[in-house]
């Protein structure tokens, strides 16, 4: 007797035996119970998910004559959801020899002549069964003429005729056919369901297999029960009565879950050397490395799901032990880092598959991802940049005394007498530590301010501030601190850029990172007791600065600088701000101008010019000293 492969030996015979297609079994069973069986069905789905098997079960359910041991001769029990599997109709349909149930290969009989022959036999009553059933497999292979010949017959067949079409490419079936049939989409079978079915079959075959072996077969089946049975047949022929995970992985040329998990852990942990060792071991064992890359990409996806979802068991198509390992590895990693790993590996996966040297491509991809830099929050980066800029400007770490000769200059309050003096001009953190060139509108002579008796007096130079704290408040006139009862001089229009510089300098002593963010805004309006800041549409700092806490700090600094209570407002996505240069941009242009001037000055230096001429070189870089 010839050997019957497992895929045929353990093919489901009833609807309750159908694995992974509960929606199909329930719908067809209810239709049979209620007597609402359609005349044409279309079963669609990938290979090996039960389309032809379901067609045979439906044919047996419609034509079953009842158990010969319990059904009286000459009686018709009618269609049933549970075929007896003992009557002549059930046995012949299972063997494919029933005269009234014809299985047609659409790839071979795809012409209009074959359809005409089929139509000629349709009017005749079935020879023995209750219904004449035509099962057309791979129906998408029919020609256009054959489909056209089918239309009228398919729409109004005789009552005793049923059509069951099966296809893996439903998009090739004309819409005129789809509108005349009931369509059932067969889904991929989950790995857990396949594993349970494999355990049942192995127990019936008296074969021992560990969970690792069954997990590998279920994973490699890729949702197809027939593929799983075929692989199991191959493994039984190799391993006999006992199957182990490492042997199964070696025979199929795939990586086991333990190896994939070890590779994923090394990749997440940034251990490039271990990644290379594992790839080398897999290559020496003859594994298909593009296949390994595909499985590793699926593992990275599972890690993201396990990290993101509170209960990932419903979304992870993995055995229990594998799901626990994935959840444990995801628990110790960062969600953004796992997402970055999956995205990076997905982009490099095509290179591994198409490469003529897949091992080298996979190794370099793993090394590149293992050496990825750590993720740093944007706020932390901004704070570090602001601190670095301040150290470059002042020559001291925030909170420590500045070295000799590098004392920072403090801002002077803006009064109604004009622009602040150059010695007391506010200055925000900047890089490199070069003094800003004097502008044309700045004068060496200190500005005049109005005194209490109405005469104009010169404002004295502001003393240098203490390095350990904010600058002391400057006097309002030449006679000393201003009395609360002293009359106030009429205010002149404020220079908005100078006012913003003074406010930024004041805030820098309290919140350095806020001062760095405020430099990217524009002071649009400055009225009595009110300041309006504008933020360009592409600015990232408007939302960060306009929080209630930051606004309170800005109002306090503005009130100190301007000498009175001040309300601060923000205009985000401002068209007016988009057309103006921010304080940060102005300082960048000033630094660039100083650098160009320094380069030009160095290029004209006699010694440098002589060295360039003697050596035949060129001036490539210039390091500016402090105070230059």
């Amino acid at each position: 007797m010839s050997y019957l492969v497992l895929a045929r030996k353990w093919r489901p015979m009833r609807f309750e035996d159908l694995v992974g297609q509960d929606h199909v079994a329930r719908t067809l069973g209810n239709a049979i119970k209620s007597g609402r069986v359609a005349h044409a069905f279309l079963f669609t789905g990938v290979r090996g998910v039960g389309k032809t098997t379901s067609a045979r079960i439906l044919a047996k359910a419609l034509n079953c004559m009842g158990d010969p041991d319990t059904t009286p001769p000459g009686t018709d029990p009618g269609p049933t959801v549970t075929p007896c599997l003992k009557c002549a109709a059930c046995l012949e349909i299972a063997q494919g020899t029933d005269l009234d149930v014809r299985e047609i290969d659409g790839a071979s009989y795809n012409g209009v002549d074959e359809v005409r022959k089929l139509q000629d036999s349709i009017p005749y009553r079935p020879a023995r069964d209750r219904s004449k059933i035509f099962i057309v497999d791979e129906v998408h292979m029919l020609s256009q003429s054959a489909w056209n010949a089918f239309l009228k017959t398919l729409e109004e067949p005789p009552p005793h005729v049923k059509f069951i079409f099966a296809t893996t490419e439903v998009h090739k079936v004309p819409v005129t056919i789809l509108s005349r049939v009931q369509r059932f989409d067969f889904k991929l079978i989950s790995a857990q369901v396949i594993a349970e079915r494999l355990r049942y079959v192995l127990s019936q075959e008296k074969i021992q297999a560990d969970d690792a072996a069954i997990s590998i077969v279920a994973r490699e089946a890729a949702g197809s029960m027939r593929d799983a049975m075929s692989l199991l047949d191959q493994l039984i022929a190799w391993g006999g009565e006992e199957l182990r995970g490492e042997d199964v992985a070696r025979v199929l040329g795939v990586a086991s879950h333990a190896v994939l998990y070890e590779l994923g852990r090394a990749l997440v942990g940034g251990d490039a050397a271990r990644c290379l060792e594992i790839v080398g071991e897999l290559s020496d064992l003859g594994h298909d490395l593009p296949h390994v890359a595909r499985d590793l990409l699926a593992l990275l996806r599972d890690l993201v799901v396990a990290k993101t979802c509170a209960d990932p068991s419903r979304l992870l198509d993995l055995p229990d032990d594998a799901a626990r390992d994935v959840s444990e590895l995801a628990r110790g990693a960062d969600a953004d880092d796992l997402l970055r790993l999956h995205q990076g590996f997905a982009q490099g996966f095509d290179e591994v598959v198409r490469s003529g040297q897949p091992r080298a491509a996979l190794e370099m991809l793993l090394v590149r991802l293992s050496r990825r830099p750590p993720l740093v929050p944007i706020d932390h980066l901004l704070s570090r940049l602001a601190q670095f800029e301040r150290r470059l400007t002042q020559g001291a770490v925030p909170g420590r005394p500045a070295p000799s000769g590098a004392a920072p200059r403090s801002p002077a309050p803006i009064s109604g007498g004009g622009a602040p003096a150059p010695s007391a001009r506010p200055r925000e953190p900047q890089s490199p530590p070069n003094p800003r060139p004097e502008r044309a509108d700045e004068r060496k002579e200190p500005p005049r301010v109005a005194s209490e008796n109405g005469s104009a007096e010169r404002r004295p130079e502001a003393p240098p501030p203490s390095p350990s704290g904010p600058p002391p408040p400057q006097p309002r006139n030449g006679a000393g601190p201003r009395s609360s009862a002293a009359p106030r001089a009429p205010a002149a229009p404020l220079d908005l850029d100078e006012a913003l510089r003074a406010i930024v300098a004041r805030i820098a002593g309290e919140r350095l990172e806020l001062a760095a963010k405020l430099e990217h805004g524009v002071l649009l309006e400055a009225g009595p007791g009110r300041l309006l800041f504008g933020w360009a549409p592409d600015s990232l700092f408007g939302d960060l600065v306009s929080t209630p806490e930051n606004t309170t700090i800005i109002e306090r600094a503005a009130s100190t600088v301007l000498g009175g209570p001040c309300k601060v407002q923000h205009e985000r996505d401002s068209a007016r701000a988009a057309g103006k240069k921010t304080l940060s941009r102005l300082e960048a242009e000033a630094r660039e101008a100083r650098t160009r001037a320094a380069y030009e000055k160095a290029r004209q230096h006699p010694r440098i010019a002589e060295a360039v001429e003697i050596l035949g070189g060129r001036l490539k870089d210039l390091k500016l000293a402090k105070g230059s």
Side-chain angles (χ1 to χ4, degrees):
M1 182 178 179
S2 62
Y3 172 69
L4 191 63
V5 297
L6 296 178
R8 294 180 58 189
K9 181 179 180 179
W10 295 100
R11 168 175 278 176
M13 295 294 157
R14 297 175 177 173
F15 285 120
E16 56 263 29
D17 300 332
L18 197 61
V19 177
Q21 310 298 341
D22 297 338
H23 63 294
V24 176
R26 179 177 179 179
T27 304
L28 293 178
N30 290 338
I32 294 173
K33 290 179 181 179
S34 61
R36 303 176 65 88
V37 180
H39 61 274
F41 301 90
L42 175 64
F43 295 164
T44 176
V46 299
R47 78 279 176 271
V49 293
K51 299 185 297 297
T52 305
T53 298
S54 299
R56 290 185 178 183
I57 294 175
L58 179 59
K60 285 184 285 187
L62 294 177
N63 288 333
C64 179
M65 298 300 177
D67 188 348
D69 298 334
T70 58
T71 303
T75 60
D76 184 4
T80 177
V81 179
T82 56
C84 67
L85 305 181
K86 295 181 179 180
C87 65
C90 290
L91 295 176
E92 292 178 5
I93 291 174
Q95 297 171 0
T97 58
D98 194 313
L99 295 177
D100 296 324
V101 178
R102 294 182 55 187
E103 294 191 25
I104 302 173
D105 180 14
S108 302
Y109 300 90
N110 56 4
V112 65
D113 294 334
E114 283 76 12
V115 174
R116 288 198 186 105
K117 293 177 183 179
L118 185 148
Q119 289 174 328
D120 291 341
S121 65
I122 285 178
Y124 299 100
R125 300 281 308 176
R128 180 197 60 199
D129 296 343
R130 191 176 298 109
S131 300
K132 181 176 287 189
I133 299 176
F134 296 92
I135 301 175
V136 185
D137 203 3
E138 301 299 332
V139 72
H140 64 274
M141 299 294 292
L142 294 181
S143 64
Q144 186 63 42
S145 301
W147 282 123
N148 293 335
F150 241 131
L151 288 178
K152 188 62 177 177
T153 302
L154 191 62
E155 186 173 13
E156 297 178 357
H160 60 272
V161 174
K162 306 292 181 183
F163 292 98
I164 304 176
F165 299 147
T167 179
T168 57
E169 302 182 36
V170 68
H171 60 277
K172 293 184 179 180
V173 179
V175 66
T176 52
I177 299 296
L178 294 177
S179 64
R180 289 170 166 83
V181 299
Q182 285 189 3
R183 173 175 170 176
F184 290 84
D185 289 273
F186 285 66
K187 60 184 180 181
L188 290 171
I189 306 174
S190 67
Q192 296 181 1
V193 174
I194 293 177
E196 293 177 1
R197 181 66 175 176
L198 293 179
R199 288 190 181 93
Y200 173 76
V201 172
L202 289 171
S203 65
Q204 297 298 314
E205 295 289 332
K206 302 297 188 294
I207 295 174
Q208 300 295 325
D210 58 12
D211 292 339
I214 295 177
S215 175
I216 293 175
V217 176
R219 187 186 71 202
E220 293 304 310
S224 171
M225 184 62 73
R226 184 173 62 228
D227 288 4
M229 292 296 179
S230 300
L231 290 175
L232 189 60
D233 245 334
Q234 177 184 350
L235 294 172
I236 293 175
W238 179 85
E241 297 182 356
E242 184 177 1
L243 301 179
R244 295 186 301 174
E246 57 269 20
D247 298 332
V248 170
R250 187 179 303 110
V251 172
L252 298 182
V254 299
S256 64
H257 168 72
V259 175
L260 286 175
Y261 176 76
E262 181 66 22
L263 183 57
R265 183 169 61 179
L267 181 60
V268 173
D271 191 351
R274 182 57 183 154
C275 290
L276 295 181
E277 292 176 0
I278 296 175
V279 172
E281 294 171 359
L282 293 174
S283 179
D284 293 340
L285 292 174
H287 289 77
D288 184 16
L289 293 183
H291 196 100
V292 173
R294 186 201 68 183
D295 292 340
L296 182 57
L297 183 61
L299 175 61
L300 293 175
R301 174 262 175 193
D302 293 340
L303 288 174
V304 175
V305 172
K307 186 66 177 180
T308 305
C309 300
D311 183 17
S313 57
R314 188 171 54 87
L315 300 176
L316 294 179
D317 190 12
L318 297 172
D320 294 339
D321 55 344
R324 284 194 301 269
D325 293 340
V326 169
S327 299
E328 180 181 357
L329 180 57
R331 195 178 301 115
D334 182 72
D336 292 334
D337 191 43
L338 293 176
L339 187 62
R340 181 171 54 153
L341 276 176
H342 181 274
Q343 183 178 9
F345 197 89
Q347 292 175 353
F349 174 73
D350 292 337
E351 299 178 4
V352 176
V353 175
R354 295 195 304 263
S355 174
Q357 296 181 340
R359 174 176 177 175
L362 179 59
E363 288 176 336
M364 296 305 104
L365 176 60
L366 292 174
V367 171
R368 184 168 68 249
L369 294 178
S370 299
R371 294 173 56 84
R372 65 195 181 278
L375 293 174
V376 181
I378 185 64
D379 291 341
H380 185 54
L381 284 177
L382 292 174
S383 177
R384 289 172 57 184
L385 287 174
Q387 293 177 8
F388 179 67
E389 192 172 11
R390 182 175 182 181
R391 286 201 300 269
L392 291 178
T393 304
Q394 299 181 351
V397 179
R400 298 181 184 176
S404 59
R409 293 185 290 177
S410 62
I414 298 178
S415 66
S423 61
R425 187 175 178 274
R427 179 177 174 185
E428 78 288 358
Q430 60 184 9
S431 174
N434 302 320
R436 185 176 56 81
E438 186 178 11
R439 300 191 329 194
D441 58 347
E442 293 180 339
R443 299 291 183 264
K444 295 297 182 179
E445 181 182 357
R448 297 178 178 273
V449 296
S451 63
E452 294 183 358
N453 55 12
S455 62
E457 298 179 357
R458 294 183 184 275
R459 175 185 295 162
E461 294 287 342
S466 171
S468 60
Q474 301 296 323
R476 294 288 175 169
N477 51 49
R482 179 181 173 185
S483 172
S484 59
R488 193 172 181 182
L494 287 175
D495 186 330
L496 298 181
D497 291 338
E498 296 300 329
L500 180 57
R501 283 192 177 92
I503 295 172
V504 168
R506 173 67 61 176
I507 295 175
E510 181 180 355
R511 289 280 297 275
L512 189 59
E513 68 278 6
L514 177 58
K517 298 171 186 175
L518 192 60
E519 288 181 351
H520 295 271
V522 176
L523 188 56
L524 297 177
E525 299 177 9
R530 175 180 176 271
L531 291 179
L532 177 61
F533 287 91
W535 302 91
D538 58 348
S539 177
L540 302 175
F541 300 95
D543 294 334
L544 298 176
V545 173
S546 59
T547 61
E549 178 184 0
N550 290 338
T551 302
T552 301
I553 297 175
I554 298 172
E555 290 177 348
R556 186 164 59 246
S559 300
T560 303
V561 171
L562 301 179
C566 193
K567 185 70 174 178
V568 171
Q569 297 177 349
H570 299 273
E571 181 178 307
R572 289 189 286 275
D573 297 333
S574 173
R576 292 187 294 170
K580 293 187 178 182
K581 293 183 179 180
T582 64
L583 194 59
S584 176
R585 180 60 181 170
L586 292 173
E587 293 301 326
E589 292 178 354
R591 288 195 297 269
E592 185 179 355
R594 290 197 299 272
T595 302
R596 286 198 302 267
Y599 265 94
E600 187 62 29
K601 182 178 179 181
R603 203 179 345 262
Q604 296 176 2
H605 195 280
R607 292 185 179 180
I608 295 180
E610 182 180 2
V612 170
E613 182 179 358
I614 293 175
L615 299 176
R618 62 184 179 87
L619 185 61
K620 181 179 180 181
D621 196 7
L622 182 66
K623 301 293 184 181
L624 299 178
K626 284 186 178 180
S628 62

